[in-house]
Each structure stands twice: as structure tokens, then as C-alpha cells.
Amino acid sequence: NARTLGFRSPTKRQRRTTMGEDEGEKGGHVRLYVKGIVLGYKRGLRNQYVSTNLIKIQGVEDKEGTDFYLGKRIAYVYKAHTQKNGTKFRVIWGRVMRPHGTNGVVRAKFRKNLPPSSIGGPVRVMLYPSRI
């Protein structure tokens, strides 16, 4: 269910913006990624494989829908305590590897394993590299 995964339905202003009526025509900001949620680690009944994460991509509800996202890059953005390079925000980059099941969930591997605090948190599924 989309509501339990933290996806909210768009507000009136957001709907207008996506239709190009508001600031989109004036050269406003455009989101170049799709939202996703970290569901957890790949696991069996007894073993958990922390090097592979399960990601639910917003708007993808079946296995065929995941095909477009295979190979796309994923960014897990988090806020740290200390400032580095003038910012407190840090990123762990990853990549969509393959589908997981038939409900639109994908498996992803990150350069560094995601921390347990990332479970339930948001990720950005970038729309590159293109396979078209």
C-alpha cells in the first residue's frame, strides 16, 4: 500500500506544477529523480545479506515496470553531525541491480553498505544512465 510506505498523494499545488501551469513554464525547478523507500536488506529466513538492499520505487507496481530502472543510479542522502566540504549532507551512491519479486521492488547495491538507520528512509532513483 502506497500510504503505508510513506508516499503521500500530491497536493493541489504539486498537481498544478506537474501539469506545467505554475512555475514549470517559467524555468522553475524540475525533479530529475524518482522517489524510493528502503525496505530493508535482502534476506532469507535465517540469513540477512547486508550488501543488497530492497528498494520500493514510487509508481512501480509490477515486475515489468522495474525494467526501465535496471542500471539506474540511486542516491541515499543523509545529514551528518559534522560539516565537511561546507555541508552537513552526505550521499551514498548505489545502483539498481535486478527486480525482487513481482510487486515492483528492486535489489540495489551501494558503494558502502547502507546503515540500519536507513531502513524506511527515502532514496533518490536517478533517471540516468539511459538505456534507450
Side-chain angles (χ1 to χ4, degrees):
N1 188 346
R3 191 175 298 269
T4 57
L5 289 176
F7 298 129
R8 284 184 258 127
S9 59
T11 62
K12 238 181 214 180
R13 180 174 173 77
Q14 288 170 331
R15 271 191 234 115
R16 275 201 317 263
T17 304
T18 55
M19 297 307 241
E21 294 172 24
D22 230 8
E23 57 210 50
E25 295 174 351
K26 300 173 189 161
H29 111 118
V30 177
R31 181 163 48 93
L32 296 175
Y33 60 89
V34 178
K35 296 179 182 180
I37 298 229
V38 180
L39 298 182
Y41 302 117
K42 176 187 155 196
R43 57 170 298 157
L45 184 61
R46 292 167 184 84
N47 296 333
Q48 171 170 284
Y49 302 95
V50 296
S51 59
T52 306
N53 294 87
L54 303 179
I55 309 290
K56 175 66 179 164
I57 302 173
Q58 184 178 17
V60 179
E61 301 301 327
D62 55 359
K63 191 173 184 176
E64 289 72 36
T66 63
D67 189 50
F68 171 79
Y69 295 98
L70 300 184
K72 298 286 189 276
R73 301 197 58 200
I74 302 179
Y76 172 67
V77 181
Y78 63 100
K79 195 172 184 182
H81 229 7
T82 56
Q83 212 171 28
K84 285 190 177 179
N85 301 328
T87 180
K88 288 186 176 183
F89 290 100
R90 314 242 174 105
V91 181
I92 301 177
W93 286 97
R95 191 175 295 274
V96 177
M97 304 308 272
R98 55 171 288 180
H100 179 85
T102 57
N103 280 340
V105 176
V106 295
R107 295 183 197 176
K109 286 188 177 250
F110 288 80
R111 288 185 184 160
K112 289 173 65 177
N113 294 344
L114 290 186
S117 59
S118 69
I119 296 176
V123 292
R124 300 176 179 186
V125 182
M126 302 300 175
L127 298 178
Y128 55 84
S130 175
R131 295 189 306 134
I132 299 173

